Amino acid sequence: MEPTAGSRYTRARDDLLADPAGPAGAARRQALCALTDRWLTELFTTAGAPSQGVALVAVGGYGRRELSPGSDLDVVLLHDGRAGVAELAEAIWYPVWDAGIALDHSVRTPDEARRAAADDLRVQTGLLDIRHIAGDPEPTAALRTSMFTAWRAAAVKRLPELQRAGRERAERHGEVAFLLEPDLKEARGGLRDATALRAISASWIADAPHEEVDAARATLLDVRDALHLVTGRGADRLLLQEQDAVARRLGLLDADTLLRRVSEAARALAYAGDVTWREVSRVLAAREAGAGLRRLRRARTGVSARTPLAEGVVEHAGEVVLAQAARPARDPVLLLRAAAAAARAGLPLSRHTVDRLANECPPPSDPWPADAREAFVALIGAGRDALPVWEALESRRLITRLLPDWERVRCRPQRNAVHRFTVDRHLIETAVEAAAHTRRVARPDLLLVAALLHDIGKGWPGDHSVSGEVIAREAATRMGFAKDDVDVIGTLVRRHLLLVDTATRRDLDDPTTVAAFAEAVGSVETLELLHALTEADAAATGPAAWSDWRDALVRDLVARTRAVFAGRPAPEALALPAERIVLAEVSGDLPVVRLEPLPFGAEVTIAAADRVGLLALAAGVLALHRLTVRSAAIDVVDALGVTVWTVETEFGRLPDPAALREDVRKALDGGLDVAARLAKREAAYPPRRGASRAPARVEVIPDASATATVLEVRAPDSPGLLHRIGQALADAHVSVRQARVGTHGADAVDAFYVVAPDGAPLAAAQARGLARTLEKALAP
């Protein structure tokens, strides 16, 4: 049997995509377009299409010859209004559908196409990439000419509309550069933004930097091609579970290398978009004011107002540029001075200025002179206005020139759902957040530099706090800080997690806790800096990194440590508000269960007579009601076990408090087998496919308490995790006197203060054995 055109095409297409020695990247996309063009031409011809007045054209990505393996075929059948065109279209479309190829099609006269473009911005931008495939070329050429003419004529109206569409996409999809699972097309810095830059250039209003945009666009297209080949479908979102395979397909080392390449390309596109849209806004504003393009161009070549901002730095036409007398080659501090002036003024550095500084300005001497250090601190202390200036410097790798170790964290992904940003962006975001706290510390410069460098060790193996201290000390010395200041910065970087970890995982009523923390911090001045850094770090991380509960515990620890440094008695222990409420309400009718809705979930407080296994039962009941625990404080108060849980619903509404209390009562009375119910539910929902998770790890924390044994559990978070931990502790016949539970993205980090049946800490061997028992109980 003679193979059909469709079967010949799909076989040739499969061969092209499967050939490891065949073309790749742009060459493969063009080859796929050429193959598809020939097939559609054959379908057009065999369908009996007339030689005049009818044309088959490609638009959008297919029109640009950017056909990825899973892309739709965007085509339009142009006609002159003759009869029978619907039958002709069906004769072309049906073989495409029969071949299993996705098709985005329309049948229009040129006038209909023009009207559709006038009504729909996406149709209009798609038609800017119109390309002739088959039939009469005259309708194609005429429509192409009229589309470009109409686009340029309507640019004053259409470009702001295009910009708004981009902002709305960014709000919905985020930024490709900073997401763990970015949408390569729709998110900011993605392929849709690259297409918008082409449309801006076509308007003749402004022009995008072609070399950087073309390179970044090619990178994202290559990644999308690999994603399509790996998944076998036209996906645009780079999911975690596909990243290793996509990286291998592209010949990259691993998924982190892949995400770094994607981030670099997306940041280049985002920066090019910022620069280009600024130029568009300037030109449109001039037109609106009646200047016109000719007058605007004359103004650019003539003398116009320049406002001095710093030595060698002026404002001109809404941007920061170099003064005419500036000599970058002889002024190593000019780069930092210009950047600081731009950030303080809330203005962008002009692209030409950034290029000139990159090409001509040498780095500061080692160590930096005082004015260089002061300008750097002024830059990172400018708050939100520092971000566009920082990104401008990043576009030419100027941050790495100033801080060589920056290259190791540049565009480095963080595989933690709590984090919103790559490591480098998180660092500058932390400095931005720290700028809001500079009035509450004696040395704001040390706070800002420590904020910028606190995670710099994530570019090196091992504990990032340990390696980060070494790097931060070297960087601070290079910046010209005095030795005592270098020591403070080093301590802040080394201990940047200590405050929140101690506050949320240790018993603050235990004198051992506060004494050890005070010794590690060293002074009240460093304590103030660490407190501000902790808050800035959490704010820059994301909303899940901070809560009222964490804030209360951190402030409590800070107050207690201040008392230690001042030689005063520690302040009275802080009871959480919910604990005080529960204790006031207890009148013998136990258990007490309270549920207080929060903006992001609820606070659940459970009080019952203290007993072995109370933690397991309470946690299990919460899990049965599909409540995900985000944090918890568990204490024994006046023979009552009081637990305060911050929870979120997996889906749906919060449970009825009465139903929650009834299940707690049944569990305590033995009428509800929590373990069996949880096991049944877990069996019904097998684990999702994805990257393997590290096994649970349980450590005995030595010298953390004089009255109890402290176990720290780090494990993948999952429904029922706390129940399993509590049950394992109950089976070992140990009592939980206190617990601090926290969830950080996909991981739980929990600390448990446990005692033997006689109320004493566990013997060392018993504690080690219990740790191993817990690890086995938590094994998958």
Side-chain angles (χ1 to χ4, degrees):
M1 182 177 177
E2 182 76 17
T4 64
S7 63
R8 291 195 303 272
Y9 168 76
T10 54
R11 186 163 54 248
R13 181 180 182 276
D14 291 345
D15 290 345
L16 171 65
L17 298 178
D19 185 2
R28 181 174 58 205
R29 288 188 289 274
Q30 291 174 4
L32 182 57
C33 277
L35 179 66
T36 305
D37 286 355
R38 289 194 294 272
W39 177 44
L40 293 180
T41 299
E42 182 178 355
L43 293 177
F44 183 86
T45 303
T46 56
S51 59
Q52 291 185 328
V54 180
L56 185 65
V57 300
V59 297
Y62 183 26
R64 295 188 298 272
R65 292 188 170 87
E66 292 175 352
L67 201 56
S68 292
S71 295
D72 294 353
L73 300 183
D74 295 336
V75 294
V76 179
L77 185 63
L78 287 177
H79 65 95
D80 55 8
R82 69 183 63 203
V85 72
E87 291 77 8
L88 172 63
E90 290 181 357
I92 300 170
W93 307 154
Y94 274 100
V96 177
W97 291 325
D98 291 342
I101 305 299
L103 184 67
D104 188 350
H105 62 89
S106 60
V107 180
R108 291 183 173 124
T109 65
D111 283 343
E112 289 171 342
R114 283 187 280 270
R115 286 195 296 272
D119 294 336
D120 190 326
L121 178 64
R122 184 166 291 192
V123 172
Q124 186 165 34
T125 54
L127 284 170
L128 293 178
D129 294 307
I130 188 171
R131 181 173 59 83
H132 187 73
I133 297 175
D136 186 354
E138 289 189 10
T140 307
L143 181 59
R144 177 181 176 82
T145 299
S146 64
M147 278 296 99
F148 276 91
T149 300
W151 177 246
R152 288 161 189 155
V156 172
K157 172 187 174 184
R158 284 303 209 180
L159 288 179
E161 186 180 346
L162 184 63
Q163 187 177 24
R164 285 193 298 273
R167 288 172 177 165
E168 290 169 0
R169 281 189 289 101
E171 290 175 1
R172 288 196 305 271
H173 300 283
E175 296 196 47
V176 173
F178 307 128
L179 294 170
L180 274 176
E181 294 185 325
D183 188 311
L184 301 173
K185 185 175 183 179
E186 301 293 344
R188 183 173 188 262
L191 292 168
R192 189 79 75 184
D193 280 353
T195 302
L197 289 174
R198 286 172 58 94
I200 294 172
S201 297
S203 73
W204 291 353
I205 293 289
D207 199 10
H210 291 281
E211 186 176 347
E212 297 96 318
V213 169
D214 291 347
R217 184 189 197 107
T219 295
L220 295 183
L221 285 169
D222 289 348
V223 173
R224 187 175 70 170
D225 287 358
L227 178 62
H228 288 186
L229 292 171
V230 164
T231 61
R233 53 191 174 83
D236 290 316
R237 191 175 177 197
L238 187 59
L239 297 176
L240 288 172
Q241 64 197 40
E242 319 292 358
Q243 289 172 9
D244 283 317
V246 171
R248 287 192 297 271
R249 185 89 198 190
L250 292 170
L252 301 176
L253 179 63
D254 55 23
D256 278 2
T257 306
L258 168 68
L259 282 184
R260 184 168 185 171
R261 180 169 292 189
V262 168
S263 178
E264 288 175 340
R267 286 174 85 162
L269 278 172
Y271 177 64
D274 290 343
V275 170
T276 307
W277 281 117
R278 281 204 305 269
E279 179 67 10
V280 169
S281 298
R282 189 160 46 243
V283 173
L284 294 185
R287 282 190 169 187
E288 187 175 347
L293 278 177
R294 185 175 302 173
R295 180 177 166 188
L296 180 69
R297 287 165 181 159
R298 283 200 304 269
R300 285 178 182 167
T301 58
V303 178
S304 59
R306 290 173 172 249
T307 304
L309 296 175
E311 183 184 350
V313 184
V314 299
E315 175 190 351
H316 172 63
E319 293 184 324
V320 173
V321 301
L322 299 184
Q324 294 176 348
R327 296 294 180 265
R330 302 175 188 175
D331 190 352
V333 184
L334 182 58
L335 166 62
L336 287 169
R337 203 162 57 244
R344 282 196 302 260
L347 295 170
L349 273 173
S350 81
R351 178 180 174 81
H352 174 72
T353 296
V354 175
D355 290 343
R356 190 176 172 194
L357 290 169
N359 294 330
E360 300 179 32
C361 192
S365 59
D366 189 358
W368 294 2
D371 55 344
R373 182 175 65 255
E374 290 167 3
F376 185 73
V377 171
L379 166 62
I380 62 176
R384 241 347 99 185
D385 289 329
L387 289 177
V389 179
W390 191 269
E391 288 298 314
L393 299 182
E394 281 276 46
S395 71
R396 293 299 306 268
R397 303 289 180 94
L398 290 172
I399 303 300
T400 300
R401 182 184 298 182
L402 296 167
L403 303 171
D405 287 294
W406 193 261
E407 188 61 28
R408 282 181 171 263
V409 296
R410 187 177 186 275
C411 296
R412 187 180 186 88
Q414 304 204 71
R415 296 194 172 275
N416 184 328
V418 171
H419 275 279
R420 294 177 293 170
F421 299 113
T422 53
V423 177
D424 60 332
R425 183 58 182 261
H426 170 69
L427 291 176
I428 184 60
E429 287 278 349
T430 304
V432 166
E433 296 292 344
H437 300 297
T438 53
R439 298 295 181 268
R440 57 186 264 201
V441 297
R443 289 294 302 274
D445 55 337
L446 303 186
L447 170 63
L448 292 167
V449 172
L452 184 72
L453 300 177
H454 75 279
D455 275 350
I456 195 74
K458 287 185 175 180
W460 297 80
D463 186 334
H464 78 278
S465 297
V466 175
S467 56
E469 178 185 7
V470 175
I471 299 167
R473 285 178 175 274
E474 291 176 352
T477 301
R478 186 182 309 114
M479 292 177 191
F481 281 101
K483 183 182 182 305
D484 288 348
D485 294 342
V486 171
D487 290 342
V488 172
I489 291 172
T491 298
L492 291 172
V493 172
R494 175 69 179 88
R495 306 295 185 186
H496 73 272
L497 297 174
L498 184 62
L499 176 55
V500 71
D501 284 354
T502 303
T504 58
R505 301 179 195 171
R506 299 292 178 263
D507 179 6
L508 302 188
D509 288 328
D510 192 326
T512 305
T513 299
V514 181
F517 176 73
E519 182 180 0
V521 173
S523 71
V524 69
E525 291 80 10
T526 304
L527 174 66
E528 291 175 350
L529 290 166
L530 185 60
H531 189 189
L533 174 59
T534 299
E535 293 185 11
D537 186 14
T541 298
W546 201 245
S547 65
D548 291 342
W549 174 75
R550 278 188 170 88
D551 182 61
L553 292 175
V554 163
R555 290 179 183 276
D556 187 11
L557 177 55
V558 169
R560 292 166 182 267
T561 309
R562 282 180 181 276
V564 170
F565 286 134
R568 300 192 308 268
E572 185 177 346
L574 293 178
L576 293 176
E579 288 184 24
R580 292 197 294 269
I581 292 170
V582 167
L583 293 176
E585 289 183 352
V586 170
S587 58
D589 187 14
L590 295 175
V592 172
V593 177
R594 289 177 55 88
L595 187 149
E596 295 290 337
L598 299 173
F600 53 86
E603 183 179 79
V604 178
T605 306
I606 301 173
D610 185 39
R611 55 180 273 188
V612 173
L614 178 60
L615 166 68
L617 291 176
V621 170
L622 294 176
L624 287 177
H625 283 264
R626 300 191 181 278
L627 295 173
T628 300
V629 175
R630 292 305 179 199
S631 64
I634 304 168
D635 292 283
V636 177
V637 184
D638 296 343
L640 290 177
V642 181
T643 61
V644 183
W645 313 78
T646 303
V647 298
E648 294 177 351
T649 58
E650 291 182 23
F651 51 80
R653 297 180 178 179
L654 291 168
D656 178 16
L660 197 61
R661 181 184 185 278
E662 180 62 17
D663 280 350
V664 171
R665 186 193 62 76
K666 287 180 180 178
L668 291 170
D669 294 343
L672 176 63
D673 190 338
V674 174
R677 290 274 300 274
L678 286 174
K680 182 178 179 181
R681 197 181 86 181
E682 289 179 10
Y685 296 95
R688 293 177 61 187
R689 183 166 64 96
S692 60
R693 306 282 296 280
R697 182 177 179 180
V698 183
E699 292 185 0
V700 181
I701 308 300
D703 303 322
S705 173
T707 59
T709 297
V710 179
L711 299 175
E712 189 166 273
V713 180
R714 296 171 180 263
D717 190 33
S718 63
L721 172 66
L722 281 173
H723 172 75
R724 294 199 301 275
I725 295 173
Q727 191 60 55
L729 293 173
D731 292 344
H733 304 290
V734 299
S735 296
V736 179
R737 310 314 298 164
Q738 193 174 104
R740 292 292 183 264
V741 175
T743 305
H744 305 271
D747 295 303
V749 182
D750 307 333
F752 301 90
Y753 285 68
V754 299
V755 295
D758 62 359
L762 306 182
Q766 186 183 6
R768 289 194 298 270
L770 180 58
R772 302 292 79 77
T773 298
L774 274 176
E775 287 182 343
K776 290 179 182 178
L778 299 178

